[in-house]
Amino acid sequence: MDDLVGTQAPGCRLTDPAESVAELERVLPGLVAHRRPTPVAVDWPRLENVLGTALPADYKLLCELYPLFELSDFLRVGGPVAGAEVAWVTEDLEIVTEWCENADLAVPLHPYPAPGGLLPWTSSNQGDFFLWTTSPAGPQEWTVTVASRNGAWWHYTGGAVQFLADLVSGVLEPWALPTVRPEITWIRRPVAGDG
């Protein structure tokens, strides 16, 4: 049985993308040292056209400013690679679709593009998924859903970048997840054209 653990909410939802990224930088010492001198040019319109939806602005800003990095030997954070944007979500969305089909949930969850469907934005190296619960209210209103490898799942009613900041700072109870220390344990080194 896959269990809904509950819902956690931020004290105050950050709606400005720059404010969300600044909060993550504040609680994650050393992140700023990896900030790109020039934001990378991700073809968001192409990716969003393929997906059929816009994506949250806080996440897009984080992906433009920082290369892929790993938190606490556990959680990989980063988005599409410039020039290969469409491949970014395909594999994880297939896994989420299978999980939704096979899960024995009291309240069924559905993968995106179903209304209110789950759209993956990252995963852990242990098989946990971090997803957006999409909403017709628009991507700035999407919440985070955590689907842990052990079957427990839960919601966070803030954006993805604020979720990361709250998880790293210890504000969130890491239900069914290990404690995520405020340290970067791996970072993708820039390659030519990466920005």
Side-chain angles (χ1 to χ4, degrees), residues 43-88:
D43 190 348
W44 296 114
R46 179 169 184 253
L47 176 58
E48 292 170 336
N49 185 53
V50 169
L51 287 172
T53 184
L55 294 172
D58 63 330
Y59 187 75
K60 293 194 297 189
L61 180 60
L62 181 68
C63 294
E64 291 166 359
L65 294 176
Y66 288 99
L68 178 68
F69 62 94
E70 187 171 86
L71 293 171
S72 192
D73 290 321
F74 172 68
L75 179 62
R76 286 263 167 119
V77 178
V81 174
E85 291 87 355
V86 176
W88 167 69

Side-chain angles (χ1 to χ4, degrees), residues 102-165:
N102 295 330
D104 181 19
L105 303 172
V107 177
L109 297 176
H110 303 285
Y112 178 82
L118 300 173
L119 183 61
W121 55 271
T122 200
S123 60
S124 78
N125 60 17
Q126 296 179 10
D128 306 283
F129 278 92
F130 301 84
L131 313 116
W132 287 295
T133 298
T134 59
S135 161
Q140 299 345 310
E141 300 302 317
W142 292 357
T143 59
V144 171
T145 296
V146 177
S148 76
R149 68 191 176 286
N150 67 12
W153 57 280
W154 53 283
H155 301 293
Y156 172 77
T157 60
V161 177
Q162 188 175 7
F163 168 84
L164 293 170

